[in-house]
Amino acid sequence: MVLTTEKPEAAPMRAASGPNRVKPSAKKRPKGWWLPFALIAPAIVFELLIHVIPMVVGIWMSFIKLTQFYIANWSAAPFVGLGNYQIAVNFDGAQGQALLSSFLITCGFTVLVVGLSWGLGMAAAVALQKAFRGRAIFRTMFLIPYAVPMYAGIITWKFMFQQNTGVINQILGSLHLIDPNNPPFWLIGNNAFGAMVIVAIWKLWPFAFLMLMAGLQTINEDLYEAASLDGAKPFRQWRNITLPGLGAVNNVLLLVLFLWTFNDFNTPFILFGGGEPPAGDLISFHIYNTSFITLNFGFGAAMSVLLLLFLMLVSAIYLVSINRRSRRA
């Protein structure tokens, strides 16, 4: 007989650790685990259909010579690579010069509209910060341009800017600011730029007012009372209390206003129709005319991609500068 010192329970343990060990049962998924995915699936599908797929198709179009001759058969359009982009950035050519002129006009338009819209919104928000009788009425009146449908508002301005029947010339003539017998054209020539800026500010500044007014509600009123007791004037209170308190709101607001204004298409399209004056040739409208009027879809797609890259670059630089400023603070 062979004696062994192995404990009786060791053999089962070794057997359990061998190749024939019994695996623990897999953890079952909880009931209804699929519900969150099912809820977000429609949003993902519509995002793909409305944004992602059209953007990918547009980028592909920018590499082919898609004109009216190939619109019925896109696959027959010749591949030109970066040819459309070279034409767009060739500022010695006619198309490149037109694009550069439209870009500069859009930059000037954006600076004026964003700056004045923000300034009017800030002034109105500060003026209505303190409670007084009739404040709700003023708030409602200031938000009317934002509530009016965009097309209805802009088409109303178009009628107001008419030369002989527009109310703008009627008012200026009654104030003896213009010659009633020779009223100016507001929708043609260089005056078109000013008319376009006025309409864009009118429909945009209430949004700035709404955001800034909401931001002012988060600032403690005790800060203003303490500053007033210390002898701080209203402008100093605005500079040292209001502006820093609205820092986070302004960071987002200015970026949104910039993107909306630089991409503005409705204002020139409704005001001028298909024949915009050179002073009103915003870049989004310029791309539209190139694509759907001259039917050069490939070149229009290339300009759209360049516009997208420019806006992404500006947004990235803006966000990086904001993050660096916040870290220093």
Side-chain angles (χ1 to χ4, degrees), residues 5-324:
T5 59
E6 186 176 358
K7 295 181 180 180
E9 61 272 12
M13 289 178 63
R14 187 171 62 249
S17 62
N20 297 325
R21 63 184 178 182
V22 180
K23 295 182 179 179
S25 59
K27 187 177 181 182
K28 294 183 178 179
R29 292 177 176 176
K31 186 178 180 180
W33 62 269
W34 52 268
L35 183 59
F37 300 97
L39 292 175
I40 66 173
I44 295 175
V45 171
F46 281 108
E47 182 71 18
L48 290 172
L49 294 176
I50 297 174
H51 291 107
V52 178
I53 294 178
M55 183 175 64
V56 172
V57 173
I59 295 174
W60 170 70
M61 286 171 55
S62 67
F63 295 107
I64 62 176
K65 190 177 182 180
L66 184 59
T67 60
Q68 69 270 29
F69 303 107
Y70 304 100
I71 194 63
N73 186 10
W74 288 25
S75 60
F79 180 81
V80 295
L82 298 177
N84 290 323
Y85 294 94
Q86 292 175 352
I87 296 174
V89 298
N90 181 19
F91 302 133
D92 294 329
Q95 292 176 315
Q97 288 180 356
L99 179 60
L100 178 61
S101 175
S102 177
F103 175 78
L104 296 177
I105 291 172
T106 307
C107 289
F109 172 79
T110 302
V111 170
L112 288 175
V113 172
V114 172
L116 293 176
S117 296
W118 181 87
L120 289 174
M122 176 65 75
V126 172
L128 299 181
Q129 182 179 10
K130 295 183 179 179
F132 60 90
R133 179 174 293 183
R135 182 174 68 166
I137 298 176
F138 282 101
R139 284 181 173 179
T140 304
M141 291 175 57
F142 289 165
L143 291 176
I144 287 177
Y146 187 66
V148 171
M150 187 177 300
Y151 183 86
I154 299 176
I155 200 69
T156 302
W157 276 100
K158 183 175 182 178
F159 287 126
M160 293 169 61
F161 278 125
Q162 295 298 318
Q163 183 189 24
N164 295 318
T165 59
V167 68
I168 300 295
N169 283 340
Q170 297 292 333
I171 294 175
L172 294 178
S174 64
L175 296 175
H176 303 288
L177 297 177
I178 61 172
D179 184 7
N181 298 322
N182 187 23
F185 290 94
W186 292 104
L187 299 178
I188 62 175
N190 294 329
N191 292 333
F193 181 81
M196 190 171 56
V197 169
I198 292 173
V199 175
I201 293 173
W202 175 83
K203 68 184 180 67
L204 193 62
W205 83 268
F207 175 77
F209 162 67
L210 183 64
M211 294 296 102
L212 293 171
M213 183 176 61
L216 286 174
Q217 308 305 314
T218 63
I219 301 178
N220 193 344
E221 291 289 338
D222 295 339
L223 297 176
Y224 293 99
E225 295 181 4
S228 179
L229 292 176
D230 290 339
K233 300 298 181 182
F235 177 77
R236 190 171 182 181
Q237 294 180 21
W238 174 79
R239 186 183 63 184
N240 295 332
I241 299 176
T242 304
L243 273 184
L246 293 175
V249 175
N250 281 324
N251 290 340
V252 178
L253 177 62
L254 290 175
L255 180 60
V256 171
L257 293 178
F258 166 76
L259 294 175
W260 284 359
T261 306
F262 210 93
N263 282 315
D264 192 1
F265 171 81
N266 295 313
T267 301
F269 180 76
I270 300 174
L271 281 179
F272 311 126
E276 86 286 354
D281 187 24
L282 296 185
I283 193 166
S284 59
F285 200 33
H286 183 83
I287 295 173
Y288 167 81
N289 286 332
T290 301
S291 301
F292 295 98
I293 303 301
T294 62
L295 301 180
N296 194 346
F297 294 98
F299 184 55
M303 290 190 293
S304 298
V305 174
L306 290 175
L307 175 61
L308 174 64
L309 294 176
F310 170 76
L311 294 178
M312 291 177 61
L313 178 62
V314 173
S315 301
I317 294 174
Y318 179 77
L319 294 175
V320 168
S321 65
I322 288 176
N323 290 334
R324 287 182 178 179

